[in-house]
Amino acid sequence: MVYAGEILVRKDAGRIDEINARLKLESMPGTVGIAHTRWATHGAPTAVNAHPHTDCSGRIAIVHNGVIENYLALKKELLDLDHSLASRTDSEVIAHLVEEYLRRGEQLEQAFRRALQRLEGSYAVALVSSLSPEKILAARRDAPLIIGVGKGFNMLASDITALLDMTKEMVFLHDGDMVVLTASGYVVLRIDTGETVERQVKVVDLTAEMAEKQGYPHFMLKEIFEQPETLRNSLKLQTEYVDLLAELLDRGRTIFLLGAGTSYNACVTGSYLFSQLARLPTLPVIASEFIPNYGASIGVDTVILAVSQSGETADVLSALEYARMRACTILGITNTVGSTLTRVSRAYVLQNAGPEIGVAATKTFTSQVLVLAKIALRLARLRGKIAQYEIDEFNSWLSRIPQAVSEALTRVNEPVRRLAESKVVFILGRGVSYSTALEGRLKLMELSYIPCITYPAGESKHGPISVIESGIPVIFVAPPDEYRKLNIGSIMEMKARGAYTVVVGDALDQELKQLADYYIEMPKIHPLLSPTTYIIPFQLLAYYTAIVKGHDPDKPRNLAKSITVP
Ligand code: F6R
């Protein structure tokens, strides 16, 4: 808060209600203030890393949501200019940069704008200063920021849900906007040119609960449609941690990719990526089977990369504890900062997918695959298994994933009713698409409660094809890869036995299109990265099948979001 010519800061790490009870945030004096609940990306969730962050003089305080990608370079520059930075966050550099421009004689608003021009990455940032005690300065780029217009007051927030209890009149700031806010008004200007712009007030007629779901009837659907954005965030991983994981993986003699449920399925995708890109064989393993299957044979040269959205899954943690006692190297990929997995891992990477509320994992699966692909690429380079032009090419495929996922989200899914009426569904794939099939099966099964059978398509003749009879749906995951011809053979085989074949394949593959009873068109994508995009129709099919059958997609029966018992 800004009060009596000073900035008062209260902050801590922990649960919001406990911090509030301890620090009495609500009783802070003053009428101009900023606050932020930090979802840690850089630096652990500690009091010193909590927001707000202040400059050296204590005259400026900022809160920031997003990732400042060039913060290391900015931090070095500021340290060389004798600034002293207290935290390990990327955000703190913003306060000191503004201070630096003030030192050089700029006025506060201009200093803020100059500082913003130096930032690379994403931000919604708000600043208060004892130099201008009646104002809040704020700005956004690639992160949401909304003004709530009230009678006798104005507010800012990242999300309309935070404002709805106070006002329904909102101004949605555009990327590259900066705002100067007071209790009686606001001025919006462009960060790059400084020119002022008009932004319309919109009346948002939603309840807070509707707004939390952003107009979607369920969190699951919201999270499915959020994927282009979460994937863009996951693309902005801190490369130093990806490098560290790649180095430690490369030192192992035996490497396990360990997870449960969806996270295990991502491990299966990872094993194909590690093998095909980096020529590194790894063993994907279901967490609860790790000790019985491999416990007796692990040791100091074993590396385990554990994948867990929550970072708290009991089967994962007990496998890791067992492995730690035997001097294995533990690495982690998780979506949850401060989770047990982050504490037991020698090094970990955060997925940056944001909180997932729906019980069924959707956006966290695609982001896990993307993180694994980035590590695999790094490993390939480290091990000298890939030429520079191939690295560039693969990187450009990686950056196209969010767009491909957007396109996949527009595809209709007519077979829903047909699936909803089936007593069993087959989902088959070969190569990396086997992992897509595994995850497709899990989604369909946990939401529709229809038994699903998945195995690598080449296995049909070895037994399971005997189940096939007229009308049973068989869904093939068939991107245009080296298994295309074999897939055609498998589809014919199923058709000959009367199966109803659904094929998820490339939009331009006319031959497959003619062969399938129903064809789901996918955009062009590197076949090894296809799980990120080819899983989308399964997520949508699972969701709509649940709706048709009258199930709650956010809370499938017998399931919980985090399985903390073995
Ligand atoms: C499926 C699902 C579960 C989780 C599994 C592991 O939609 O959500 O199968 O994937 O319980 O959870 P994490 O990733 O938190 O270890």
Side-chain angles (χ1 to χ4, degrees):
M1 298 295 287
V2 195
Y3 184 68
E6 266 190 75
I7 294 201
L8 312 177
V9 175
R10 290 189 198 167
K11 60 181 189 174
D12 208 344
R15 294 178 58 87
I16 299 170
D17 42 1
E18 286 165 15
I19 295 174
N20 193 19
R22 203 163 47 241
L23 300 183
K24 310 213 172 350
L25 300 175
E26 282 161 4
S27 65
M28 285 181 83
T31 56
V32 175
I34 52 177
H36 179 56
T37 314
R38 176 169 180 251
W39 173 268
T41 56
H42 295 59
T46 58
V48 73
N49 288 338
H51 296 216
H53 291 289
T54 48
D55 67 333
C56 304
S57 71
R59 292 183 304 175
I60 292 167
I62 65 103
V63 292
H64 164 232
N65 177 32
V67 177
I68 304 302
E69 287 163 13
N70 60 337
Y71 88 102
L72 281 175
L74 291 172
K75 190 166 178 171
K76 181 170 180 320
E77 181 183 324
L78 289 161
L79 291 173
D80 289 346
L81 290 163
D82 280 341
H83 288 260
S84 74
L85 280 76
S87 76
R88 304 196 59 168
T89 65
D90 52 335
S91 309
E92 191 184 354
V93 296
I94 304 172
H96 292 271
L97 258 187
V98 178
E99 178 183 34
E100 183 54 34
Y101 286 111
L102 285 174
R103 280 187 194 169
R104 295 181 196 178
E106 306 277 13
Q107 295 299 305
L108 183 66
E109 284 167 32
Q110 179 68 0
F112 182 54
R113 202 163 69 79
R114 291 286 297 275
L116 295 171
Q117 288 170 348
R118 301 285 314 280
L119 305 178
E120 288 167 22
S122 58
Y123 53 79
V125 58
L127 171 149
V128 291
S129 170
S130 53
L131 299 170
S132 251
E134 76 292 355
K135 287 179 188 161
I136 297 177
L137 306 185
R140 69 159 283 187
R141 190 165 93 185
D142 287 340
L145 188 63
I146 300 149
I147 304 175
V149 181
K151 303 225 174 331
F153 68 90
N154 288 307
M155 308 176 84
L156 284 158
S158 289
D159 196 304
I160 54 173
T161 45
L163 303 170
L164 274 170
D165 282 348
M166 315 291 290
T167 178
K168 298 218 180 295
E169 290 186 20
M170 317 261 174
V171 177
F172 292 85
L173 293 169
H174 297 194
D175 257 354
D177 278 354
M178 166 178 152
V179 59
V180 181
L181 191 87
T182 61
S184 55
Y186 59 89
V187 178
V188 181
L189 41 146
R190 298 295 296 161
I191 296 167
D192 50 357
T193 60
E195 69 178 305
T196 52
V197 280
E198 286 291 319
R199 297 280 178 246
Q200 298 294 318
V201 176
K202 298 208 167 97
V203 177
V204 179
D205 212 3
L206 292 177
T207 63
E209 210 223 294
M210 283 152 79
E212 247 189 26
K213 294 183 186 154
Q214 289 170 7
Y216 290 100
H218 295 98
F219 282 110
M220 182 185 175
L221 198 59
K222 168 180 168 272
E223 285 157 5
I224 291 174
F225 276 89
E226 238 166 45
Q227 288 177 102
E229 192 190 325
T230 54
L231 288 165
R232 263 190 285 277
N233 289 337
S234 301
L235 276 171
K236 293 182 196 150
L237 290 178
Q238 285 174 273
T239 46
E240 57 267 42
Y241 295 124
V242 174
D243 290 355
L244 183 58
L245 250 65
E247 273 165 36
L248 292 169
L249 281 165
D250 193 38
R251 286 190 212 158
R253 214 158 70 105
T254 320
I255 298 158
F256 293 99
L257 307 180
L258 180 134
T262 290
S263 297
Y264 166 74
N265 297 337
C267 289
V268 178
T269 314
S271 71
Y272 285 96
L273 284 161
F274 284 20
S275 171
Q276 293 195 31
L277 276 179
R279 311 283 184 258
L280 181 72
T282 56
L283 288 161
V285 54
I286 290 179
S288 58
E289 282 302 305
F290 178 74
I291 300 174
N293 204 351
Y294 300 106
S297 57
I298 55 172
V300 68
D301 45 15
T302 303
V303 178
I304 301 168
L305 174 55
V307 180
S308 172
Q309 184 282 129
S310 62
E312 300 294 352
T313 296
D315 289 334
V316 172
L317 298 181
S318 49
L320 295 185
E321 185 53 26
Y322 182 95
R324 221 153 58 99
M325 302 312 286
R326 284 152 187 84
C328 304
T329 304
I330 315 285
L331 308 173
I333 296 177
T334 181
N335 197 34
T336 314
V337 188
S339 59
T340 311
L341 179 56
T342 63
R343 291 199 296 276
V344 299
S345 300
R346 168 103 180 266
Y348 63 88
V349 172
L350 291 170
Q351 301 176 219
N352 282 349
E356 189 172 63
I357 312 289
V359 164
T362 50
K363 62 177 182 170
T364 53
F365 171 74
T366 48
S367 95
Q368 283 167 347
V369 171
L370 199 149
V371 174
L372 286 161
K374 289 199 94 166
I375 298 172
L377 186 61
R378 202 63 211 164
L379 259 169
R381 187 167 155 178
L382 193 71
R383 292 162 59 81
K385 303 292 183 194
I386 191 165
Q388 186 57 44
Y389 82 91
E390 292 171 297
I391 296 176
D392 295 343
E393 220 172 80
F394 199 77
N395 264 324
S396 106
W397 279 112
L398 276 169
S399 61
R400 275 184 256 169
I401 291 176
Q403 180 55 31
V405 168
S406 294
E407 288 171 35
L409 282 165
T410 64
R411 306 293 190 254
V412 269
N413 293 290
E414 264 174 42
V416 169
R417 208 155 276 284
R418 180 99 195 208
L419 292 187
E421 285 159 7
S422 306
K423 58 180 194 306
V424 63
V425 175
F426 277 57
I427 304 177
L428 307 182
R430 286 169 199 263
V432 77
S433 298
Y434 167 55
S435 69
T436 315
L438 280 176
E439 177 56 8
R441 169 184 68 166
L442 182 55
K443 287 295 87 83
L444 197 59
M445 214 160 52
E446 67 182 328
L447 290 155
S448 69
Y449 316 154
I450 301 168
C452 297
I453 296 175
T454 286
Y455 51 83
E459 277 288 290
S460 282
K461 291 191 206 71
H462 301 283
I465 201 164
S466 64
V467 178
I468 297 295
E469 55 189 50
S470 179
I472 288 188
V474 181
I475 312 180
F476 282 89
V477 188
D481 56 16
E482 63 267 46
Y483 308 110
R484 189 176 162 279
K485 282 263 166 305
L486 287 169
N487 280 333
I488 291 177
S490 300
I491 297 168
M492 309 266 260
E493 211 168 72
M494 290 297 178
K495 277 178 82 83
R497 283 154 185 85
Y500 171 72
T501 56
V502 177
V503 178
V504 187
D506 189 273
L508 302 177
D509 196 328
Q510 297 306 334
E511 192 181 354
L512 273 187
K513 217 181 270 186
Q514 274 161 19
L515 203 58
D517 294 308
Y518 189 83
Y519 196 75
I520 301 178
E521 296 184 1
M522 288 290 102
K524 208 165 153 49
I525 180 96
H526 189 296
L528 266 182
L529 296 172
S530 62
T532 56
T533 308
Y534 281 54
I535 194 60
I536 303 294
F538 290 97
Q539 295 175 345
L540 290 170
L541 278 173
Y543 173 82
Y544 286 111
T545 310
I547 297 293
V548 166
K549 296 189 77 175
H551 307 159
D552 180 350
D554 280 344
K555 294 192 190 83
R557 69 181 181 204
N558 305 334
L559 295 177
K561 184 68 188 158
S562 186
I563 311 295
T564 53
V565 286

